[in-house]
Amino acid sequence: MGVMAFLPLSCLGLLIASQGKNCGSAGVVDNGQIDYSNETLFGEKAVITCNEGYILVGQREINCGDQGWMDSLPVCEVLKCDPPADITDGKFSPHKESYEYLEVVQYSCVNDYTLNGSKSLSCSTDGKFTPDPPTCTRVECTDPKIENGTWKEGARPPYRYKSAVTLQCNSGYIMKGASIQTCDINSLWSPGLPQCTPVKCTDPKIKNGDRKEGSQPPYRYSSTVTLECHSGYIMKGASTQKCDIYGLWSPGLPECKPVECKDLRIENGDWVEGSRPPYRY
Ligand SMILES: *[C@@H]1O[C@H](CO)[C@@H](O)[C@H](O)[C@H]1NC(C)=O
Ligand SMILES: *[C@@H]1O[C@H](CO)[C@@H](O)[C@H](O)[C@H]1NC(C)=O
Ligand SMILES: *[C@@H]1O[C@H](CO)[C@@H](O)[C@H](O)[C@H]1NC(C)=O
């Protein structure tokens, strides 16, 4: 108070008062922020930013003057989107003239058509709906026919999107690929129809033995062979083998074991000379 009393010029007093002016809070911006980077003092400014999805209408900066904040606050208006695109064989809802930021529309397809793409779209920051609208496709897969195989269970025609069938090979054929097939969006069976290839048994090779008679190679399901052992060998197992549906010889290849004679003993007598055990052929 003592200092002010000695100031002779009123204009100087005004200047000091202006420079010391503190504008205080500029108020509230709905859906936005006011950034007073420094102090809310005379000559300083505040910067207004809007939240995501809102557009600033008015001045971005306001200045603190001797009468307080010299500019009026801008407003943050919600971002709007025009309606998204119409699609053939489908529709979206809700229908409106314009949509606000983050509003969502849902697409659907008419009967028998399948939605390909995203079902829901939302109004985004660029004023457009994202992602792109889906399309509606008529999905129909053809009969899942395979050579030497048949439909086993599952869906029946018409095969629509996600219809699933299980296939099987005729006996004597082995499946290469997946037995379960699903009709995909492109009207194709997924992962792709399997193949039925004839069962194949390997050459019925046995140690110290041979094929005697029976089917000729290639050995398919139900081919039959008879095996025999070389002389001096005796068979353990079945001589007749059949190629089964798994491509294996059934009941299982035999073995040829060396013939072995028992120790020879006679009452009141003994070995004099000759071979020693084991006694082979
Ligand atoms: C805040 O103060 C610094 C240095 O004092 C200056 O560089 C900057 O421009 C000021 N910011 C505002 C918004 O006035
Ligand atoms: C397997 O398919 C072929 C070709 O379609 C056919 O000629 C053959 O008769 C089939 N075999 C059996 C056992 O059905
Ligand atoms: C599904 O949509 C994708 C992406 O838009 C497109 O590339 C494809 O061709 C569509 N498929 C069908 C069967 O319409």
Side-chain angles (χ1 to χ4, degrees):
M1 180 188 165
V3 176
M4 292 300 281
F6 289 107
L7 284 171
L9 298 167
S10 59
C11 61
L12 179 60
L14 181 66
L15 182 62
I16 290 168
S18 301
Q19 283 176 330
K21 173 83 184 169
N22 187 330
C23 287
S25 166
V28 176
V29 176
D30 285 337
N31 304 304
Q33 277 94 39
I34 307 176
D35 174 22
Y36 313 98
S37 347
N38 297 310
E39 307 274 346
T40 57
L41 295 174
F42 174 79
E44 300 284 7
K45 60 191 178 192
V47 178
I48 293 93
T49 51
C50 291
N51 296 344
E52 195 176 85
Y54 290 83
I55 309 169
L56 188 129
V57 178
Q59 252 177 270
R60 205 176 71 88
E61 289 180 359
I62 58 170
N63 296 284
C64 176
D66 55 5
Q67 307 290 306
W69 292 106
M70 297 197 296
D71 314 284
S72 53
L73 277 175
V75 290
C76 290
E77 281 184 358
V78 69
L79 197 135
K80 303 251 169 141
C81 284
D82 285 334
D86 284 316
I87 56 169
T88 49
D89 305 314
K91 57 184 169 45
F92 67 82
S93 71
H95 257 282
K96 290 179 171 187
E97 264 181 34
S98 94
Y99 300 80
E100 293 192 349
Y101 177 64
L102 291 186
E103 241 186 299
V104 172
V105 295
Q106 304 274 357
Y107 280 82
S108 58
C109 293
V110 299
N111 275 350
D112 289 352
Y113 281 75
T114 301
L115 191 121
N116 175 26
S118 179
K119 187 178 162 68
S120 41
L121 273 64
S122 67
C123 175
S124 74
T125 50
D126 61 359
K128 295 202 173 83
F129 274 94
T130 53
D132 286 337
T135 52
C136 290
T137 339
R138 194 181 163 83
V139 172
E140 182 156 3
C141 284
T142 55
D143 227 11
K145 273 199 167 63
I146 51 171
E147 246 177 54
N148 299 307
T150 56
W151 178 97
K152 185 183 172 202
E153 58 191 20
R156 280 304 199 181
Y159 300 109
R160 300 281 182 223
Y161 183 53
K162 287 194 174 157
S163 288
V165 296
T166 304
L167 306 173
Q168 67 182 356
C169 292
N170 299 340
S171 62
Y173 290 83
I174 283 182
M175 190 170 285
K176 268 174 96 177
S179 60
I180 297 176
Q181 298 287 322
T182 309
C183 182
D184 75 9
I185 191 82
N186 300 308
S187 297
L188 295 172
W189 290 107
S190 176
L193 294 180
Q195 280 185 308
C196 291
T197 55
V199 159
K200 216 164 112 184
C201 277
T202 55
D203 224 11
K205 274 208 170 78
I206 53 170
K207 221 178 179 183
N208 304 308
D210 272 321
R211 176 183 169 282
K212 184 180 167 202
E213 57 192 16
S215 313
Q216 294 293 327
Y219 302 106
R220 302 294 192 203
Y221 169 61
S222 81
S223 288
T224 305
V225 293
T226 302
L227 306 169
E228 64 179 355
C229 292
H230 296 157
S231 60
Y233 291 85
I234 190 160
M235 190 170 287
K236 246 188 100 183
S239 60
T240 300
Q241 298 286 325
K242 197 171 157 182
C243 182
D244 73 10
I245 58 165
Y246 307 107
L248 297 172
W249 289 108
S250 177
L253 294 179
E255 279 182 281
C256 291
K257 298 265 194 194
V259 164
E260 196 170 318
C261 286
K262 278 201 198 118
D263 206 5
L264 195 61
R265 286 192 195 282
I266 51 171
E267 247 172 69
N268 307 311
D270 210 351
W271 176 93
V272 178
E273 56 179 11
S275 305
R276 279 300 202 177
Y279 300 110
R280 301 285 191 217
Y281 172 64

PDB file of all heavy atoms in Angstrom, residues 8 37 66 78 111 137 160 212 222 236 274:
ATOM      1  N   PRO A   8       3.291   8.438  -9.072  1.00  0.00           N
ATOM      2  CA  PRO A   8       2.660   9.678  -9.500  1.00  0.00           C
ATOM      3  C   PRO A   8       1.741   9.507 -10.717  1.00  0.00           C
ATOM      4  O   PRO A   8       0.777  10.218 -10.856  1.00  0.00           O
ATOM      5  CB  PRO A   8       3.854  10.575  -9.856  1.00  0.00           C
ATOM      6  CG  PRO A   8       4.984   9.654 -10.186  1.00  0.00           C
ATOM      7  CD  PRO A   8       4.688   8.325  -9.579  1.00  0.00           C
ATOM      8  N   SER A  37      -0.456 -23.726 -20.818  1.00  0.00           N
ATOM      9  CA  SER A  37       0.871 -24.323 -20.636  1.00  0.00           C
ATOM     10  C   SER A  37       1.644 -23.630 -19.541  1.00  0.00           C
ATOM     11  O   SER A  37       2.446 -24.237 -18.860  1.00  0.00           O
ATOM     12  CB  SER A  37       1.727 -24.276 -21.882  1.00  0.00           C
ATOM     13  OG  SER A  37       1.017 -23.960 -22.990  1.00  0.00           O
ATOM     14  N   ASP A  66      -6.063  -7.509 -20.474  1.00  0.00           N
ATOM     15  CA  ASP A  66      -6.296  -6.781 -19.216  1.00  0.00           C
ATOM     16  C   ASP A  66      -7.747  -6.857 -18.741  1.00  0.00           C
ATOM     17  O   ASP A  66      -8.037  -6.577 -17.590  1.00  0.00           O
ATOM     18  CB  ASP A  66      -5.815  -5.321 -19.333  1.00  0.00           C
ATOM     19  CG  ASP A  66      -6.437  -4.601 -20.511  1.00  0.00           C
ATOM     20  OD1 ASP A  66      -7.321  -5.203 -21.175  1.00  0.00           O
ATOM     21  OD2 ASP A  66      -6.034  -3.450 -20.780  1.00  0.00           O
ATOM     22  N   VAL A  78     -19.499 -32.969 -31.903  1.00  0.00           N
ATOM     23  CA  VAL A  78     -19.288 -34.386 -32.208  1.00  0.00           C
ATOM     24  C   VAL A  78     -19.183 -34.577 -33.723  1.00  0.00           C
ATOM     25  O   VAL A  78     -19.871 -33.921 -34.497  1.00  0.00           O
ATOM     26  CB  VAL A  78     -20.405 -35.269 -31.599  1.00  0.00           C
ATOM     27  CG1 VAL A  78     -21.745 -35.055 -32.278  1.00  0.00           C
ATOM     28  CG2 VAL A  78     -19.996 -36.742 -31.669  1.00  0.00           C
ATOM     29  N   ASN A 111     -32.181 -64.117 -47.033  1.00  0.00           N
ATOM     30  CA  ASN A 111     -32.144 -65.586 -46.940  1.00  0.00           C
ATOM     31  C   ASN A 111     -31.226 -66.232 -47.961  1.00  0.00           C
ATOM     32  O   ASN A 111     -31.200 -65.800 -49.105  1.00  0.00           O
ATOM     33  CB  ASN A 111     -33.554 -66.141 -47.185  1.00  0.00           C
ATOM     34  CG  ASN A 111     -34.350 -66.144 -45.900  1.00  0.00           C
ATOM     35  OD1 ASN A 111     -33.799 -65.908 -44.826  1.00  0.00           O
ATOM     36  ND2 ASN A 111     -35.638 -66.395 -45.998  1.00  0.00           N
ATOM     37  N   THR A 137     -23.126 -63.065 -50.451  1.00  0.00           N
ATOM     38  CA  THR A 137     -22.854 -64.051 -51.504  1.00  0.00           C
ATOM     39  C   THR A 137     -23.768 -65.242 -51.332  1.00  0.00           C
ATOM     40  O   THR A 137     -24.061 -65.658 -50.205  1.00  0.00           O
ATOM     41  CB  THR A 137     -21.414 -64.602 -51.382  1.00  0.00           C
ATOM     42  OG1 THR A 137     -20.632 -63.688 -50.635  1.00  0.00           O
ATOM     43  CG2 THR A 137     -20.795 -64.828 -52.722  1.00  0.00           C
ATOM     44  N   ARG A 160     -24.913 -75.318 -48.061  1.00  0.00           N
ATOM     45  CA  ARG A 160     -24.734 -73.878 -47.850  1.00  0.00           C
ATOM     46  C   ARG A 160     -23.443 -73.643 -47.073  1.00  0.00           C
ATOM     47  O   ARG A 160     -22.793 -74.583 -46.632  1.00  0.00           O
ATOM     48  CB  ARG A 160     -25.923 -73.322 -47.069  1.00  0.00           C
ATOM     49  CG  ARG A 160     -27.238 -73.508 -47.763  1.00  0.00           C
ATOM     50  CD  ARG A 160     -27.414 -72.471 -48.843  1.00  0.00           C
ATOM     51  NE  ARG A 160     -28.710 -72.617 -49.475  1.00  0.00           N
ATOM     52  CZ  ARG A 160     -28.899 -72.552 -50.775  1.00  0.00           C
ATOM     53  NH1 ARG A 160     -27.868 -72.346 -51.584  1.00  0.00           N
ATOM     54  NH2 ARG A 160     -30.096 -72.673 -51.275  1.00  0.00           N
ATOM     55  N   LYS A 212       5.399-118.687 -52.435  1.00  0.00           N
ATOM     56  CA  LYS A 212       5.235-119.968 -53.135  1.00  0.00           C
ATOM     57  C   LYS A 212       4.203-119.815 -54.235  1.00  0.00           C
ATOM     58  O   LYS A 212       4.437-120.175 -55.385  1.00  0.00           O
ATOM     59  CB  LYS A 212       4.815-121.038 -52.130  1.00  0.00           C
ATOM     60  CG  LYS A 212       4.706-122.427 -52.699  1.00  0.00           C
ATOM     61  CD  LYS A 212       4.272-123.374 -51.572  1.00  0.00           C
ATOM     62  CE  LYS A 212       3.820-124.730 -52.102  1.00  0.00           C
ATOM     63  NZ  LYS A 212       2.950-125.367 -51.079  1.00  0.00           N
ATOM     64  N   SER A 222      -7.150-107.605 -50.215  1.00  0.00           N
ATOM     65  CA  SER A 222      -7.592-108.994 -50.369  1.00  0.00           C
ATOM     66  C   SER A 222      -6.724-109.852 -51.302  1.00  0.00           C
ATOM     67  O   SER A 222      -7.078-110.986 -51.606  1.00  0.00           O
ATOM     68  CB  SER A 222      -9.087-109.084 -50.744  1.00  0.00           C
ATOM     69  OG  SER A 222      -9.268-108.867 -52.114  1.00  0.00           O
ATOM     70  N   LYS A 236       7.079-120.622 -38.466  1.00  0.00           N
ATOM     71  CA  LYS A 236       6.340-120.285 -37.242  1.00  0.00           C
ATOM     72  C   LYS A 236       5.357-119.204 -37.652  1.00  0.00           C
ATOM     73  O   LYS A 236       5.754-118.090 -37.966  1.00  0.00           O
ATOM     74  CB  LYS A 236       7.314-119.731 -36.186  1.00  0.00           C
ATOM     75  CG  LYS A 236       7.440-120.635 -34.976  1.00  0.00           C
ATOM     76  CD  LYS A 236       8.237-119.972 -33.873  1.00  0.00           C
ATOM     77  CE  LYS A 236       7.362-119.383 -32.772  1.00  0.00           C
ATOM     78  NZ  LYS A 236       8.177-118.703 -31.768  1.00  0.00           N
ATOM     79  N   GLY A 274      30.525-137.116 -34.297  1.00  0.00           N
ATOM     80  CA  GLY A 274      29.584-136.392 -35.169  1.00  0.00           C
ATOM     81  C   GLY A 274      29.293-135.001 -34.640  1.00  0.00           C
ATOM     82  O   GLY A 274      30.056-134.474 -33.823  1.00  0.00           O
TER      83      GLY A 274
END
